[in-house]
Structures are given as structure tokens and as C-alpha cells.
Amino acid sequence: MMRNSALNPSNWFGRGASEQIGTTGDAAAVNPLIPTGSGLFDSLTANPDKDVYLGRPFGEITNLTVERVAGGAVIRATGLAARQGIHTVRLTPEVEDEIPVDGVLTYRLEGIEPVRPTAVGAPATREVTAARKLTDQQLRGVRSIRVEGLSNAQVARR
């Protein structure tokens, strides 16, 4: 009985399921490249010499898993890059403070494109995976985790 119970932490999130972009119910288009907020201490810690992350969203998110670990969970998303050589891949939170909006914690899978032209290559050579650890406190109130690309999103629900 406990194996299928909602009380079992291993049942909290299932495997990701693909969704088309724009299915979140928002009538207005949202530009994922424009930040939606700023942190309380941004002006105190602003460093003009700090590098700015120039990552761009992946076209397609192919897989999403959420695994329970001690004290939280690890989100692991795989995307298919448009060409080989994408680097410095990360899951960028939609909301800077990583606070769920209506129970949904949303990230974008982003990477930096190489300066020089590279081959497109076979899909297996363009797959890239990024992960992010969340604490139990960050997961409080989260009903689903969504990772977006340009053409689709993967969602894992509790």
C-alpha cells in the first residue's frame, strides 16, 4: 500500500511529459529572455566586472527527470541543441528567487553557442544534459516542475 501512496517520496514526481509551448494558459506571450524580477540584494552585490551569462534556450527538451535525494531533489533535463559545440549549459529559473508560480516551478534549458561555426551532426552528438539540486524548502508548495525550450516543454508532476 505504501508503495503507491502519495506519502512515498519516490512517487512525488514522475517522469517528464512533453508539452507544446504556449499551453500554460497564459493569454499574453511571455518573452523568456526578459527577467521577471530582481533580488532584494542585487544592488548591493552588483559587480560590473562579473560575466553576464549569454546562454540561449534550447530548441527542444527531450527528457526531464526529478529524483529524490537526501534533503531535496535533483532536476535533470536533456535538450537537443541545434548544432554541436553548445557549452556552459544550465537550468535557468524563470523566477530569480525560484519561487513556484501557481504551484509550478519553471526553468529554461540554456547553453552558450560556440563563436565559430560547428557541424550540425547526428542528434546523439547534440544532446546535452543539465541538472539542478533543490532543497525540501524550495520544493514546498511545488506541484509540478516545468523545463522549457523554444518549441516544447517537459513537465514532471507530483
Side-chain angles (χ1 to χ4, degrees), residues 42-103:
D42 281 352
S43 61
L44 298 176
T45 59
N47 182 355
D49 297 329
K50 184 177 176 184
D51 291 332
V52 175
Y53 180 67
L54 301 174
R56 304 191 70 182
F58 275 64
E60 180 183 356
I61 309 303
T62 58
N63 191 25
L64 171 65
T65 58
V66 180
E67 300 171 9
R68 288 295 293 168
V69 295
V74 173
I75 303 169
R76 189 174 59 227
T78 302
L80 190 60
R83 61 184 179 142
Q84 295 174 348
I86 305 296
H87 60 90
T88 318
V89 178
R90 65 174 67 163
L91 288 168
T92 305
E94 180 180 69
V95 177
E96 189 174 322
D97 297 331
E98 294 187 72
I99 298 171
V101 176
D102 296 327

Side-chain angles (χ1 to χ4, degrees), residues 64-151:
L64 171 65
T65 58
V66 180
E67 300 171 9
R68 288 295 293 168
V69 295
V74 173
I75 303 169
R76 189 174 59 227
T78 302
L80 190 60
R83 61 184 179 142
Q84 295 174 348
I86 305 296
H87 60 90
T88 318
V89 178
R90 65 174 67 163
L91 288 168
T92 305
E94 180 180 69
V95 177
E96 189 174 322
D97 297 331
E98 294 187 72
I99 298 171
V101 176
D102 296 327
V104 180
L105 197 54
T106 304
Y107 295 90
R108 283 181 314 278
L109 182 61
E110 298 178 329
I112 297 177
E113 295 180 357
V115 177
R116 295 194 170 123
T118 57
V120 172
T125 65
R126 296 181 283 132
E127 265 193 359
V128 179
T129 300
R132 188 175 192 100
K133 183 179 187 301
L134 298 174
T135 65
D136 285 330
Q137 290 79 14
Q138 290 172 304
L139 289 170
R140 192 170 296 137
V142 175
R143 289 190 313 266
S144 62
I145 295 174
R146 179 180 173 93
V147 176
E148 297 178 342
L150 292 175
S151 66

Side-chain angles (χ1 to χ4, degrees), residues 6-19:
L7 298 174
N8 184 349
S10 65
N11 293 334
W12 285 6
F13 291 98
R15 294 187 57 84
S18 184
E19 291 184 353

